[in-house]
Amino acid sequence: MAVARILAAANPFARLELEPEAVDVAVVRSHYRRLALAVHPDKCKEPQAKEAFQALSEAFEKLSSTVGQAQCLREAGLQAKAAKAAKVSRAARAPGAPGPMGGPPTDEERKARWWDTKTWEEFEERLRHRERAEAALRLRYEGGLRLRFSTRKMREHVRAAERSVEHLDRNAGMTESPLWPPESTQAAREVEEEVARARQTEPWPGAANELLPNYNERLELNDPALALQRLLELLTHLRAVHRYCLFCGCTYDSTKDMDEHCPGITEEEHEEENIPAQKAEEKEAVEAGEDPLEAYMASIDAEAEQQRQKGKRKKRP
């Protein structure tokens, strides 16, 4: 019953059994966990269980932020108007048939997502990891975003994470993902082909280049809320799917290895881990009468050696 209902749902709110209105993210998470237990392929043996679980997870991803909820509410309103005008009755649709959202995700769209696991235990572990990442990001970036964390720095993190996702996905044999840089997508390649054809008849040299989008502009990343949500999705994917930390710059052997040796989710947590050690070294140097500059250079050399040792046991993308 849950499988058919999820696949026939008209919008993300319906898939998660929520009213089409703004709702606390904690409520969204609670509904998602309950329904995921009912339709996860490891728990449900219905033929379309995997399809329903993927659709449910995509709905959760969309409603996990106030920005995503607002967008879905706008889309739901437009869908309702279109359905009324065309006199569409969802009750007349066969269970599992595509709804106004365009139906279940395709095989290509299912690749390389954090929720795509074989067992329920692995899914729960990734979901918990995502929740910790979200809490850490919001605590670090949202509270004092305007004062401490510039939009430029957020953009840099997003762009670096997108490149890492693409590199690691390709190495793992995964297909194109919405998390890749926009310039690496099939849509970008199609635009380049169109520009190449336009160059053959352009009125003056370089005129066709005006058709090329400016991928460095990324106006959506100027919105702190959108940028934060994008960064959360990217870091979740890197850590849950590839066990890769953007700020450590390495892939860990296991989730346990990452939990034990990675300082945290954010860049600040990595920086803060080094501060006590640096201050202790400086204090010892002063007490021993050493040259502060020499002590500082020695600490840099020690840190570099530590990174080299870390690189020997972990792969780099």
Side-chain angles (χ1 to χ4, degrees), residues 74-88:
R74 289 194 296 270
E75 293 173 353
L78 293 174
Q79 290 165 2
K81 291 179 181 178
K84 183 176 181 180
K87 296 182 180 180
V88 174

Side-chain angles (χ1 to χ4, degrees), residues 61 112-115 129-130 133-134 137 141 153-169 174 177-182 185 218 220-221 225-247 258 265:
E61 196 80 346
R113 305 311 293 267
W114 65 267
W115 59 74
H129 198 99
R130 185 187 189 281
E134 181 178 10
L137 285 173
Y141 300 156
K153 193 171 186 181
M154 178 78 81
R155 291 172 65 93
E156 290 173 355
H157 286 176
V158 168
R159 296 290 280 167
E162 288 174 341
R163 291 190 294 269
S164 296
V165 167
E166 179 187 5
H167 184 90
L168 291 165
D169 281 359
M174 296 177 175
S177 163
L179 298 177
W180 289 12
T185 62
R218 300 290 295 277
E220 76 277 10
L221 297 182
L226 289 176
L228 183 64
Q229 183 64 21
R230 177 68 170 175
L231 186 59
L232 172 63
E233 294 172 358
L234 291 162
L235 295 184
T236 298
H237 178 83
L238 288 171
R239 298 178 71 90
V241 177
H242 297 295
R243 300 189 303 278
Y244 177 80
C245 174
L246 180 68
F247 305 113
M258 175 178 281
I265 307 295

Side-chain angles (χ1 to χ4, degrees), residues 30-97:
S30 175
H31 278 236
Y32 175 58
R33 188 185 291 276
R34 173 174 59 80
L35 292 169
L37 179 61
V39 300
H40 190 282
D42 191 35
K43 297 289 185 179
C44 178
K45 302 307 177 184
E46 291 189 38
Q48 291 183 298
K50 183 176 181 179
E51 198 173 326
F53 177 69
Q54 296 285 356
L56 179 72
S57 298
E58 291 210 350
F60 168 69
E61 196 80 346
K62 291 178 180 178
L63 300 182
S64 291
S65 69
T66 55
V67 175
Q69 289 184 25
Q71 180 180 351
C72 289
L73 284 172
R74 289 194 296 270
E75 293 173 353
L78 293 174
Q79 290 165 2
K81 291 179 181 178
K84 183 176 181 180
K87 296 182 180 180
V88 174
S89 173
R90 289 204 306 271
R93 261 198 330 265

Side-chain angles (χ1 to χ4, degrees), residues 273-292:
E273 185 191 52
N274 296 325
I275 291 176
Q278 290 173 358
K279 288 185 175 179
E281 290 173 1
E282 291 172 3
K283 182 178 180 180
E284 290 176 3
V286 171
E287 292 176 349
E290 296 180 15
D291 186 324

Side-chain angles (χ1 to χ4, degrees), residues 5 34 68-69 131 190 206 208 210 235 248 263 283 302:
R5 186 197 58 74
R34 173 174 59 80
Q69 289 184 25
E131 291 171 354
E190 291 174 356
E210 296 179 2
L235 295 184
C248 288
K283 182 178 180 180

